[in-house]
Amino acid sequence: MTDGTQSEGLPADVPARAGRDAVVVGGGLAGITAALALADAGVRVTLIEGRPRLGGLAFSFQRGELTVDNGQHVYLRCCTAYRWFLDRIEGTALAPLQDRLDVPVLDVDKPEGRRLGRLRRDALPVPLHLGRSLATYPHLSLAERARVGRAALALKGLDLADPSLDAQDFGSWLTAHGQSARAIEALWDLVGVATLNAVAGDASLGLAAMVFKTGLLSEPGAADIGWAHVPLGELHDRLARKALDSAGVRTEIRTRVTSISTDENGRWIVQVPGETLEADTVVLAVAQREAHDLLPQGALDAPEKLLDITTAPILNVHVVYDRKVLDKPFFAALGTPVQWVFDRTDASGLREGQYLALSQSAAQDEIDAPVAALRERYLPELERLLPGTRGAEVKDFFVTRERTATFAPTPGVGRLRPGARTRAPGLYLAGAWTATGWPATMESAVRSGVSAADAALAALGRPRPRHLFEVEEAA
Ligand SMILES: Cc1cc2nc3c(=O)[nH]c(=O)nc-3n(C[C@H](O)[C@H](O)[C@H](O)COP(=O)(O)OP(=O)(O)OC[C@H]3O[C@@H](n4cnc5c(N)ncnc54)[C@H](O)[C@@H]3O)c2cc1C
C-alpha cells in the first residue's frame, strides 16, 4: 500500500455510491486511460487490478540491484495517443523521442565480416525523407533498393478502409510486389516483426499497411523512436498511480474481478472476492480471453470470436557484462537470431558494467527453451555482433518470457476485434486487442481506453474532458 487511495482489498463496508459511478476492470494502459478519462469528466471511478501493480503487460520488477523491464518497449512519434498518455501522467521527459529516426542495423553474415548500415531520415518531405537512407542501405542490392521504393509507393496507395486487406497476408503481397526474401528479411521484417510481432507471411496486410503507412509514409518524423529511459514501472505504475490518485480515482490492486452482472434495476454489479461494487458504467479492460470469461450473456453477438483472437509471444534475453561492450543506445541485427539489442544500463540502475536486453519478437520457437539453451545460443551471437563482449565476463544472464505478449496479427484478425460498445448498456470493452486499427501496442491500448471512455461519457450525457485525446474513427 503506497498512499491513502491505494489498498490491497476492498473494505468490508464499501457503500453503494449514488449517481454516476464507474468500475474499470484491468489496470493496464487501456484501463488506466479509461479511468483517467472518466475521472477527468467528473465520473467517480474505481479501478480494479488483479496484480500487485499497474501497467499490465508493460511493467518492471526487481532482480537484485537491477530494475528489469519484462520486455523492452518502444514507441514512435506517430503514436499520438501514447504520447498524450505520457503527458497526462507527466512522464514525457522520461521517455524521450529521438530527434530523428536513426536505427543502426548490423549485419554479421557478410563475407567481409560485420557491416553496419543505418535507417535514417533526413529533412525532406515524405517519401523522400527516407530516400537517401534507402539508396545507401548496404544490406540490399541496388536492384532490391529500387524495388523497395516501388513497393513502398504501392503500399502508400493502399486504402486502409478496404476490409479485403485484412484477409490477405503481407508476405504474399510483398512477394507479388517484387520483394526478394532478402529484402523482406533485411528491411520489411526488420521493422514489421518488432511492431507487429509476426513475420510478414503471418501478418494481416491491413495491419502491416497501417503500420508502414502511418510510421514511414505519413509525416517525416512519424517513425522517430522513443523509449523509456527509466524502468517501465516508473511510468505505468508509479506515475500512473499518482495521476489516478490526483484525479480522484480509487485504485485497488491485488483484487480480481470474478463476475460482472446487472441487478433488477439494470445497475452493474462487479464482484470481487468478498465484496460487491455497484456501478452505472463498467469498462472491461482485460485481455480477450479474460473478457470472454467475464462478459455477461448477450453482451456480444458472437462472444466466441474473442477466443479466435490468438496470441503471440515475445522473449527478452538479458545479459549483464562486467564492462561496456556497446556504444549505442540500441541496434537491430541481421544474419543472426538476435533481433534488437538495447542498452538498459542506466535505466536499470546498474552501477558497474553494461546491461543489454535482447528483444526477440514472434518467438514461438524459443519461448519455452531452457535458459541454458538460450545462453548457449545467444552469448556466441553477441560475440559475433559485439567484439567487445569477447573478453568480457557475463555477470548475469536471464530471460523474461511473455507467452501472450500480443494478439497475433494474423490475416482475418480484423473481423474478430470488437469495438468499445457492447450490446449491454453501460458495459464497454477496452484493450490493445479491440478494434483500434492498430496492432497490439501501447498506442492501441491507450486508444482503446479513450474510445471506451468516450462511448461511456456519451451514454451518460457527460461532456468529454477538453484535454482528452481525440480518437479518429479506426479504418
Ligand atoms: C514483452 C513485450 C514487449 C512489448 N513491446 C512493445 C513495444 O515495444 N511497443 C508497444 O507499443 N507495445 C509493446 N508491447 C505490447 C504492449 O505492452 C501491450 O499492447 C499493452 O501494454 C496492452 O495493454 P492493455 O491495457 O490492453 O492490456 P494488459 O496490459 O494486458 O492489461 C490488462 C490488465 O487486466 C488485469 N486483469 C485481467 N483480469 C483481471 C480481473 N479479472 N480482475 C482485475 N484485473 C484483471 C491484468 O492483470 C492486466 O494488468 C509489448 C508487450 C510485451 C509483453
Side-chain angles (χ1 to χ4, degrees):
M1 198 187 299
T2 54
D3 59 53
T5 55
Q6 193 83 44
S7 71
E8 298 188 358
L10 297 175
D13 55 349
V14 177
R17 294 170 182 175
R20 298 306 183 198
D21 294 301
V23 172
V24 177
V25 185
L29 297 183
I32 296 167
T33 301
L36 285 171
L38 290 169
D40 288 347
V43 177
R44 277 169 301 196
V45 183
T46 303
L47 174 62
I48 308 281
E49 167 54 49
R51 296 189 191 170
R53 46 163 176 73
L54 300 178
L57 284 165
F59 70 96
S60 311
F61 62 93
Q62 208 63 32
R63 179 182 167 96
E65 66 166 328
L66 289 188
T67 310
V68 176
D69 287 351
N70 68 315
Q72 176 65 44
H73 278 64
V74 306
Y75 70 100
L76 305 180
R77 195 183 290 280
C78 62
C79 294
T80 45
Y82 182 66
R83 289 172 59 206
W84 170 86
F85 176 85
L86 286 175
D87 267 351
R88 178 65 187 79
I89 62 166
E90 298 179 15
T92 299
L94 302 178
L97 282 156
Q98 295 178 313
D99 290 340
R100 266 194 196 179
L101 173 72
D102 186 0
V103 179
V105 184
L106 197 53
D107 187 352
V108 278
D109 210 13
K110 294 270 173 195
E112 70 273 20
R114 300 177 332 132
R115 180 126 195 224
L116 182 67
R118 293 197 108 93
L119 289 173
R120 271 195 277 221
R121 74 165 170 102
D122 53 32
L124 295 170
V126 174
L128 304 175
H129 66 311
L130 294 171
R132 190 158 38 178
S133 176
L134 186 60
T136 55
Y137 190 55
H139 305 316
L140 295 180
S141 70
L142 213 56
E144 282 167 336
R145 289 176 224 163
R147 283 197 292 268
V148 164
R150 285 199 290 276
L153 288 180
L155 202 60
K156 195 165 189 284
L158 290 178
D159 175 7
L160 296 182
D162 174 358
S164 75
L165 298 190
D166 181 53
Q168 303 171 48
D169 83 85
F170 186 41
S172 302
W173 186 91
L174 286 173
T175 307
H177 285 78
Q179 303 306 289
S180 62
R182 172 65 182 171
I184 294 177
E185 183 211 347
L187 193 77
W188 298 103
D189 270 354
L190 188 85
V191 178
V193 169
T195 45
L196 293 159
N197 201 17
V199 292
D202 293 338
S204 141
L205 172 59
L207 275 175
M210 190 273 160
V211 164
F212 281 96
K213 276 187 78 160
T214 310
L216 294 177
L217 302 166
S218 61
E219 304 276 330
D224 300 343
I225 297 178
W227 66 96
H229 291 210
V230 293
L232 286 173
E234 181 66 13
L235 299 170
H236 302 156
D237 188 11
R238 195 184 73 77
L239 285 184
R241 281 186 198 194
K242 200 169 153 216
L244 288 161
D245 291 349
S246 307
V249 174
R250 181 164 160 230
T251 303
E252 305 289 348
I253 53 171
R254 293 196 171 94
T255 306
R256 281 197 85 73
V257 169
T258 52
S259 74
I260 298 170
S261 56
T262 43
D263 67 12
E264 60 284 5
N265 302 317
R267 257 195 132 212
W268 287 103
I269 306 292
V270 178
Q271 198 67 50
V272 299
E275 300 294 340
T276 302
L277 289 167
E278 289 184 29
D280 309 283
T281 299
V282 173
V283 177
L284 195 46
V286 301
Q288 60 270 33
R289 179 163 288 277
E290 281 96 341
H292 173 270
D293 294 349
L294 284 172
L295 273 174
Q297 242 185 352
L300 287 184
D301 279 336
E304 66 283 356
K305 281 211 276 187
L306 301 194
L307 300 179
D308 294 336
I309 305 175
T310 55
T311 56
I314 300 178
L315 174 77
N316 271 238
V317 175
H318 309 259
V319 193
V320 179
Y321 291 99
D322 66 343
R323 67 197 69 173
K324 196 170 167 80
V325 294
L326 170 67
D327 60 2
K328 304 171 177 56
F330 70 91
F331 68 95
L334 292 174
T336 159
V338 174
Q339 295 177 9
W340 289 70
V341 180
F342 288 83
D343 178 6
R344 297 300 302 168
T345 311
D346 292 343
S348 69
L350 182 73
R351 276 190 289 266
E352 262 176 54
Q354 194 171 30
Y355 163 23
L356 304 184
L358 281 55
S359 178
Q360 302 291 115
S361 299
Q364 284 83 352
D365 293 344
E366 291 192 320
I367 196 69
D368 292 316
V371 179
L374 293 168
R375 184 181 173 116
E376 219 168 281
R377 177 160 212 212
Y378 280 103
L379 289 183
E381 292 298 331
L382 284 168
E383 289 187 10
R384 289 175 70 209
L385 285 159
L386 302 171
T389 61
R390 289 174 199 159
E393 186 189 339
V394 174
K395 305 288 275 185
D396 197 3
F397 181 101
F398 59 99
V399 302
T400 44
R401 308 173 200 266
E402 290 289 355
R403 290 180 176 77
T404 57
T406 67
F407 72 81
T410 44
V413 72
R415 65 184 161 71
L416 303 173
R417 299 171 74 185
R421 287 187 174 81
T422 70
R423 288 168 61 92
L427 178 63
Y428 305 92
L429 292 174
W433 56 276
T434 59
T436 60
W438 284 71
T441 49
M442 302 187 286
E443 176 72 8
S444 183
V446 172
R447 282 173 180 260
S448 75
V450 172
S451 294
D454 267 337
L457 292 173
L460 292 171
R462 286 190 178 249
R464 74 192 309 269
R466 237 175 303 136
H467 66 265
L468 184 58
F469 179 79
E470 292 270 0
V471 178
E472 67 284 5
E473 281 300 307

